[in-house]
Amino acid sequence: MSGAFAYLILTSARNRIRTRLARLRNPRYAFAMVIGVAYLWFVYLRPTRHDAARMDMLAGPVIGLLPLLLLAYAAWIWIFGSDRNALAFSPAEVTLLFTAPVTRRDLVLYKIARTQIPIVTTSLVWTLILRRSPTLPSALTHVVAYWVLLSTMNLNRLGVAIIRASGEEGGVRGARKHWLSIALAAAILLMVAVPLAAAAPAIRAAADLSARTDLVLAAIQSSSAHWALLPFRVLLAPLAAAPGWAFAAALAPALALLGAMLLWVLATNSAFEEAAIAASARLAQRVELMRSRRAGVATAVPKRTRAIPLAPTGAPAVALLWKNAMWALRTGQLRSLLMPPGAALLLVAILAPRSEIAAVLIALGCGFLALAMLIVGPLTMRNDLRSELLHLSLLKTFPLRGRDVVLAEVASSALPLALLQYLLGLVALASLAFAKDATLPPGVRLALVLGAPVLLVGLNCVASLIHNGLALLFPGWVRLGPGSAGGGIETLGLGMISMAAALIVLVLMLLVPGLVAAIIVALLRQQLAIAVLLGGLAGGALLLGEVTLGSWALGGSLDRVEPMSVEG
Amino acid sequence: MIRVQHLTRQYGEFRAVDDLSFAVRPGEVMGLVGPNGAGKTTTLRCLAGIIAPSTGEVEVAGHDIQRDPVAAKRELAFISDEPHLFEHLTVEEHLRFIARLYGVADVEARIAPLLEELELTEKRRVLSTELSRGMKQKLAIACGLLHDPRVLILDEPLTGLDPGGMRRMRSTIAARARSGVAVVLSSHLLTLVEELCTSLFVIRRGRCVATGTIAEIVSARPALAGLSLEDLFLALTAEDAPAPEARAPDTGAAEPA
């Protein structure tokens, strides 16, 4: 059976690589690959003067604390077991492998083997990004060291998931079967936790971070903690070893530990199929949600919560806006958008009355966040055409003109962002009221409160229009869903190209409204409040005019575009 | 109600649909049949305005689907074999959404009987993601029927339905046809086609190979007399079948084929 599994894994990997390579024959992907490689080189891989410092990163107290951090991670999995994806199989695997004449142990072995490709890839990436390897031999030893570390931790994750599934399926009897594993894990945890707890008062009382670190290091050097952390030290030892005999000497016990973990996982041999199917279903549902509605951002499974009423008559395109608002409401995105202004308001209430500097800083933070959301917001808030294009066949059956669809979709992502920014602006104004030197005249404050909605709606609609337009006109260049473009460096490059294009168009579209608003403010500067109000309203109106014209143009494209060209 | 003239759809060099002409009048149920890859779905997608014909014209309830798509789409419903639903809306909210799109003012009065007809009443507050495959298909059908379309375009509409659901759907289609709706039905379930369709339009490799009632088709090919519908279908769509006959652009029968 291992032959069939090996065939499946290797053939799938080979076909995936072939597809990627074949895609590079397309100039678009080849260009994107060049951009992606250039980005990686200049940002992560190019040798810099900071490299020496990075190479020393694992030296000193950090290396001493790493075993403790590894233990904390392993313990988290044992105690909370939240990572249920460890048991997830793809729908095809559930259908074909769970019904095949294979043993449970074969399935586990397959699961372990299948994770090797991502683990090796991650090891390579860590080696490159952390840049602790000045020579090829040291780079190779680091790849191997990371592989051993990640593989062992992955086996721990899988073993715990199986034991928990055994408990769920077999109750106390299922859990009792693994009493030795559970007892050993608990003993290791206690052997470290007890000395740390004993040292806790002294750690809390220590003067600075360095002193606290020293106390923690001393606590984990105690006899019991030393032995409990030994497996973690063994796992980390190859990372610190120099190439050659030292590395071989460090690697041998780490490999032995990896082998022991492998034997432990294979020996668990518990019924886990039901839990695996449930985990697989959850994973498939999440993937489906991401593919169908959100690109790049995992969302919770929607829940029935409050609803927004919808009148049966009126502008039909409002139905699309309503549908997208319902999505934002039920996936918690609206709540997430309200959290930053809520948190900022709380800070204002607590800090601003006590400190003018804090009041100014909070206002500046709100302003910065609002500004950043103009660029970043449209990338995260994608409940518009970028998601809808994946259902273009359905969209095309609706009795709606293309321009109405575009307007509704643009508004779907722009209005919540404008609301967020407006609320942040209000909080900033409230905070500035506590800073005597920085507070604005009441008239200007009123002008901002009245003029900002139009301006913010205009700005966000323009930003959203650009991203929707790019998706509609260049669907191959924009990620419509995680599955549509695939992963890889070329996808990274595609994202960077589309982002750069969006920024350029945004600047161009802001030019005229910005100029007009600036002229109005300059002409009426003697009466600043009126200048701000009229400038904001004029700029916003011009931006909305641009959005209307853009929607008309894009609407024609939407009417012409065919599902096959975007749905894949 | 539906008038198709010289409909051709090309993908690059490949001609998926080649010069099809037919008409479906009120009360008529036309069965669009053919083997896999014959061009049925492409034809239906052209009728529904999802894709544009390369050449030719499609008219729905007097509106050209290319020149006046909004008016044409307001009169039709397209129900495919794969239910496309919104995962964050409940059953009832789907219907309210569709009501707003099509301007159904009396949606409140329509929802209850429609849900009852499709056995979805108990699920009215359930999210579409929590529905079984068959229930999803029923909801897609309910969405299609809510605005009382004058034209129904059905692509394997019974997929996923249980026997009871299939029976109810058959009677729903028949009832709609009796009330004057023009129906185009594509299905590989030949018993369904035989039971419901007043005429057939048989295509192979994008071209029409036979059209009319079964009697008309057989009378044009005496060698096919006495064959069951399945054998008739296989004979008409076989690779070595006779060349396509001259087609009448209009079919008039209103009785089952």
Side-chain angles (χ1 to χ4, degrees):
Chain A
M1 196 47 64
S2 57
F5 287 152
Y7 176 79
L8 177 61
I9 293 166
L10 294 176
T11 312
S12 301
R14 187 194 63 197
N15 290 343
R16 199 173 300 130
I17 293 166
R18 273 185 183 171
T19 309
R20 287 270 170 82
L21 292 176
R23 206 162 64 164
L24 289 179
R25 287 192 207 123
N26 182 326
R28 180 178 72 206
Y29 285 107
F31 180 55
M33 174 67 118
V34 171
I35 297 289
V37 168
Y39 170 76
L40 287 178
W41 170 257
F42 284 108
V43 175
Y44 293 111
L45 306 179
R46 185 169 51 102
T48 67
R49 56 189 173 173
H50 304 298
D51 283 0
R54 290 188 196 201
M55 286 169 68
D56 294 336
M57 200 173 66
L58 288 182
V62 178
I63 191 81
L65 288 175
L66 275 180
L68 188 62
L69 294 176
L70 272 188
L71 169 71
Y73 173 65
W76 177 273
I77 289 170
W78 272 93
I79 296 167
F80 298 106
S82 56
D83 194 359
R84 306 302 306 275
N85 283 348
L87 273 182
F89 288 78
S90 73
E93 287 167 341
V94 170
T95 308
L96 297 174
L97 303 186
F98 280 36
T99 56
V102 297
T103 63
R104 205 171 277 150
R105 183 174 293 199
D106 286 336
L107 281 176
V108 173
L109 208 51
Y110 166 74
K111 182 80 184 156
I112 293 167
R114 204 189 59 174
T115 53
Q116 284 309 301
I117 293 173
I119 286 176
V120 170
T121 309
T122 309
S123 304
L124 282 167
V125 170
W126 281 17
T127 304
L128 286 171
I129 288 179
L130 293 177
R131 278 185 275 173
R132 297 179 49 248
S133 321
T135 62
L136 185 63
S138 72
L140 288 175
T141 58
H142 282 136
V143 172
V144 174
Y146 285 128
W147 172 77
V148 174
L149 174 66
L150 292 173
S151 296
T152 310
M153 297 310 285
N154 182 57
L155 286 172
N156 176 61
R157 184 172 159 244
L158 183 60
V160 173
I162 292 172
I163 288 174
R164 293 182 75 91
S166 171
E168 281 172 21
E169 291 189 15
V172 178
R173 198 173 162 188
R176 202 181 295 154
K177 195 173 157 188
H178 303 287
W179 69 270
L180 189 59
S181 302
I182 296 168
L184 188 62
I188 289 175
L189 189 58
L190 282 174
M191 285 163 74
V192 179
V194 169
L196 272 177
I203 294 170
R204 272 199 297 271
D208 55 21
L209 185 65
S210 172
R212 286 178 187 170
T213 307
D214 289 342
L215 286 169
V216 170
L217 286 173
I220 61 175
Q221 291 300 327
S222 71
S223 177
S224 68
H226 176 81
W227 286 106
L229 288 172
L230 185 62
F232 301 97
R233 285 203 188 87
V234 164
L235 273 182
L236 290 164
L239 274 174
W245 285 111
F247 178 73
L251 184 64
L255 281 175
L257 187 62
L258 175 63
M261 288 293 284
L262 178 63
L263 289 176
W264 168 65
V265 172
L266 291 177
T268 49
N269 197 29
S270 287
F272 65 86
E273 288 86 344
E274 207 170 303
I277 290 169
S280 309
R282 278 194 298 273
L283 184 66
Q285 195 175 21
R286 270 205 298 276
V287 169
E288 183 58 32
L289 268 178
M290 286 161 67
R291 282 188 176 156
S292 62
R293 295 298 304 139
R294 305 279 298 157
V297 181
T299 58
V301 176
K303 297 261 190 290
R304 282 182 303 275
T305 52
R306 281 170 292 179
I308 304 167
L310 175 71
T313 52
V318 171
L320 288 178
L321 192 57
W322 173 82
K323 173 181 71 64
N324 292 336
M326 288 286 279
W327 175 86
L329 183 73
R330 290 188 169 165
T331 53
Q333 186 143 30
L334 276 184
R335 201 176 51 231
S336 307
L337 283 177
L338 293 177
M339 277 169 71
L345 192 61
L346 196 66
L347 286 176
V348 170
I350 296 169
L351 300 176
R354 295 175 191 173
S355 160
E356 286 196 24
I357 293 173
V360 172
L361 285 177
I362 293 168
L364 283 175
C366 287
F368 176 76
L369 187 57
L371 195 65
M373 287 310 287
L374 186 65
I375 308 296
V376 182
L379 297 176
T380 54
M381 194 82 186
R382 298 167 70 99
N383 56 332
D384 48 30
L385 264 186
R386 286 168 289 177
S387 300
E388 213 83 83
L389 281 175
L390 293 172
H391 299 295
L392 189 57
S393 297
L394 178 65
L395 199 63
K396 288 221 141 205
T397 63
F398 295 156
L400 296 172
R401 289 177 301 188
R403 63 186 189 219
D404 295 334
V405 173
V406 172
L407 263 181
E409 299 288 356
V410 163
S412 294
S413 53
L415 292 182
L417 288 171
L419 175 69
L420 163 70
Q421 290 161 336
Y422 187 61
L423 292 176
L424 283 169
L426 290 181
V427 175
L429 283 178
S431 191
L432 282 181
F434 291 95
K436 284 172 194 157
D437 294 336
T439 191
L440 296 167
V444 175
R445 268 187 278 170
L446 184 65
L448 285 171
V449 169
L450 294 176
V454 179
L455 185 64
L456 289 174
V457 168
L459 281 170
N460 284 285
C461 280
V462 163
S464 174
L465 181 82
I466 293 166
H467 285 279
N468 280 276
L470 284 173
L472 183 61
L473 299 175
F474 308 102
W477 290 84
V478 177
R479 186 163 43 82
L480 299 178
S484 57
I489 299 171
E490 66 273 28
T491 308
L492 175 74
L494 275 179
M496 295 187 64
I497 293 166
S498 59
M499 184 66 202
L503 279 174
I504 291 168
V505 180
L506 179 66
V507 169
L508 291 175
M509 288 186 78
L510 291 183
L511 272 181
V512 173
L515 200 62
V516 169
I519 289 171
I520 290 173
V521 172
L523 288 176
L524 300 173
R525 62 183 178 280
Q526 299 304 328
Q527 293 169 304
L528 194 57
I530 295 174
V532 168
L533 178 62
L534 289 183
L537 290 177
L542 283 171
L543 289 167
L544 288 173
E546 287 182 344
V547 170
T548 308
L549 289 176
S551 300
W552 278 56
L554 289 176
S557 302
L558 181 64
D559 287 333
R560 287 188 297 276
V561 73
E562 299 216 334
M564 196 180 279
S565 63
V566 293
E567 286 179 346
Chain B
M1 196 67 76
I2 302 175
R3 203 167 60 85
V4 175
Q5 286 190 309
H6 306 294
L7 174 66
T8 297
R9 173 65 208 205
Q10 204 137 349
Y11 293 104
E13 293 296 304
F14 175 65
R15 192 167 281 203
V17 172
D18 189 0
D19 195 28
L20 301 185
S21 295
F22 58 84
V24 188
R25 295 195 298 213
E28 190 179 347
V29 183
M30 191 193 86
L32 180 66
V33 292
N36 292 333
K40 300 186 296 296
T41 297
T42 302
T43 304
L44 295 181
R45 285 160 81 92
C46 286
L47 296 188
I50 295 171
I51 56 174
S54 301
T55 58
E57 287 180 2
V58 175
E59 214 173 75
V60 175
H63 306 285
D64 187 297
I65 194 88
Q66 288 306 300
R67 281 194 283 274
D68 194 0
V70 174
K73 287 173 183 176
R74 215 172 269 142
E75 304 293 348
L76 68 81
F78 175 62
I79 299 169
S80 73
D81 59 339
E82 189 59 44
H84 291 285
L85 300 169
F86 300 107
E87 69 271 4
H88 52 281
L89 296 187
T90 65
V91 168
E92 191 176 321
E93 286 163 353
H94 269 89
L95 298 178
R96 292 187 189 285
F97 170 71
I98 294 294
R100 178 64 179 248
L101 277 180
Y102 289 84
V104 183
D106 59 340
V107 61
E108 296 300 336
R110 293 192 193 196
I111 283 180
L114 192 56
L115 292 180
E116 195 63 41
E117 182 183 347
L118 292 161
E119 293 183 313
L120 286 168
T121 305
E122 286 179 12
K123 304 281 182 186
R124 63 189 300 160
R125 291 195 174 81
V126 170
L127 286 169
S128 66
T129 45
E130 295 166 7
L131 296 175
S132 67
R133 173 67 176 79
M135 289 288 185
K136 284 180 182 171
Q137 185 66 11
K138 285 181 180 178
L139 176 55
I141 293 167
C143 289
L145 299 179
L146 180 77
H147 64 289
D148 273 343
R150 293 166 69 193
V151 171
L152 260 179
I153 299 167
L154 307 169
D155 189 2
E156 296 286 0
L158 304 192
T159 305
L161 298 184
D162 57 25
M166 284 189 190
R167 176 180 286 183
R168 260 179 298 282
M169 188 57 199
R170 284 201 302 268
S171 63
T172 296
I173 296 170
R176 301 273 163 172
R178 278 197 300 277
S179 69
V181 174
V183 182
V184 178
L185 168 66
S186 171
S187 179
H188 290 299
L189 298 173
L190 294 178
T191 50
L192 174 75
V193 172
E194 193 167 24
E195 181 188 334
L196 288 177
C197 296
T198 53
S199 65
L200 292 182
F201 194 81
V202 188
I203 60 174
R204 190 187 77 216
R205 295 190 174 193
R207 291 180 67 85
C208 174
V209 292
T211 181
T213 64
I214 291 179
E216 287 168 347
I217 291 170
V218 171
S219 71
R221 296 172 179 76
L224 303 180
L227 293 182
S228 66
L229 183 59
E230 186 176 288
D231 290 332
L232 185 70
F233 171 80
L234 291 173
L236 286 170
T237 58
E239 284 301 309
D240 56 351
E245 62 183 42
R247 296 175 303 282
D250 202 344
T251 55
E255 294 301 314

